[in-house]
Amino acid sequence: MLKPKIYRPLQALSIVILMQLAINCTSRIPEYLTSEAKEIRSSYFHSSENIDGLMLSGTINETPLFRFQGDEAGPTALIIGGTHGNEPAGFEAAHRLIKQFSDSPLKTGEIFIIPEANKIADQKNNRRIKAPRGVDIEMGNLNRCYPGNSHGLPMEKMAFEITTLIKTHDIDVVIDLHESPVFHLEYIEANSQYHGLGQTLIYTPNEEASWIALMLVDEMNEAIPPGLEQFSLAAGPVQHSAAWSAGEFFGIPGFTTETCKKLPLETRIDYQLKMVGIILREAGISP
Ligand SMILES: [Zn+2]
């Protein structure tokens, strides 16, 4: 009898499903990344001589740390992308910065980049990763976990490793790339209690950061017609964020760059790159 034949279509289907699962598990490239970022990721992520090490090494949250050293010594910046996985302009910009600094070496200073800081959230287009049942959900939100905890949950450990990096390498400026669903000026105009943070630069209330912030907002707005797309400043990053931690524990300038998700993605990426360029220049790091 040839009875087993009837199982073959099902077996074939199972094999197809298993193969798709295997492809999804091994590629781990977020599907919604732009083709440019996908290309950068495949060219630099696994072979780059500029990978300095892995954050959360040996865990499912493991993610590369890139390092670019200039010809001349100077200040050191840390740029963080992918803190929130549903704010793609930030990690798209971080990928493009990796390509930029790989192709044209820095003249002065040094730059560390963590392009996918909350990698699992970035892959799933989620703001944060899940926290265990009964634990505050914000413990899966990297930007509420600073200065971190070496024995804590994964994002507390990531914050701890970033804090250690700032300390070990004597970082001079921290830039954390973010997005917001609502324009900041939209709600100010509507006289609402709620202020969206789209198109803002949030800065630590220290002198150096304030100076850079003023320069930045003027320069950004020179090229933007009056209206909602103009940038505003917001002093005082939220507690336990990367920028807050930079000011609070190290007394250095910390910035949260916020583009508005109502704008086209490429426009937002351009704004992110321009803000990073201005901050680096004003901090004394020349590309
Ligand atoms: Zn964010």
Side-chain angles (χ1 to χ4, degrees), residues 83-87 127 141 143-144 176-180 256-258:
T83 288
H84 289 146
N86 59 346
E87 298 170 12
R127 179 172 170 83
N141 176 353
N143 225 25
R144 297 296 180 276
D176 195 15
L177 312 177
H178 286 256
E179 297 209 87
S180 171
T256 310
T257 60
E258 296 267 6

Side-chain angles (χ1 to χ4, degrees), residues 117-226:
N118 191 346
K119 186 182 74 176
I120 306 252
D122 300 344
Q123 285 165 2
K124 294 183 174 171
N125 194 19
N126 286 336
R127 179 172 170 83
R128 53 177 95 77
I129 52 170
K130 279 187 179 156
R133 191 185 291 263
V135 173
D136 181 358
I137 56 165
E138 291 292 44
M139 289 298 96
N141 176 353
L142 174 57
N143 225 25
R144 297 296 180 276
C145 289
Y146 290 90
N149 174 359
S150 61
H151 302 292
L153 292 166
M155 285 308 109
E156 293 179 285
K157 287 181 177 166
M158 173 59 91
F160 178 82
E161 288 194 9
I162 291 174
T163 301
T164 306
L165 179 80
I166 294 171
K167 204 181 295 177
T168 311
H169 291 281
D170 211 7
I171 301 285
D172 296 292
V173 55
V174 173
I175 311 170
D176 195 15
L177 312 177
H178 286 256
E179 297 209 87
S180 171
V182 176
F183 288 107
H184 186 59
L185 294 177
E186 194 174 333
Y187 280 79
I188 284 179
E189 282 176 0
N191 203 21
S192 161
Q193 290 294 309
Y194 173 74
H195 290 177
L197 286 169
Q199 306 300 91
T200 60
L201 179 72
I202 307 169
Y203 63 100
T204 46
N206 46 35
E207 196 182 333
E208 195 181 350
S210 309
W211 177 248
I212 294 174
L214 284 168
M215 295 285 293
L216 181 142
V217 83
D218 277 352
E219 196 170 328
M220 294 299 292
N221 287 340
E222 265 174 26
I224 304 171

Side-chain angles (χ1 to χ4, degrees), residues 76-127:
T76 306
L78 168 64
I79 300 170
I80 307 167
T83 288
H84 289 146
N86 59 346
E87 298 170 12
F91 51 89
E92 284 277 347
H95 286 93
R96 290 171 204 217
L97 289 166
I98 289 166
K99 178 166 168 48
Q100 181 189 326
F101 300 131
S102 298
D103 292 351
S104 340
L106 279 180
K107 289 192 183 79
T108 311
E110 187 171 7
I111 299 174
F112 287 90
I113 303 178
I114 305 166
E116 296 177 4
N118 191 346
K119 186 182 74 176
I120 306 252
D122 300 344
Q123 285 165 2
K124 294 183 174 171
N125 194 19
N126 286 336
R127 179 172 170 83

Side-chain angles (χ1 to χ4, degrees), residues 240-278:
H240 304 292
S241 64
W244 170 83
S245 185
E248 190 77 10
F249 299 104
F250 300 99
I252 57 172
F255 298 98
T256 310
T257 60
E258 296 267 6
T259 42
C260 182
K261 287 171 80 174
K262 289 183 181 179
L263 297 169
L265 179 60
E266 287 298 333
T267 306
R268 286 140 54 193
I269 296 169
D270 285 347
Y271 281 142
Q272 293 280 354
L273 291 172
K274 194 169 177 187
M275 284 192 276
V276 169
I278 294 169

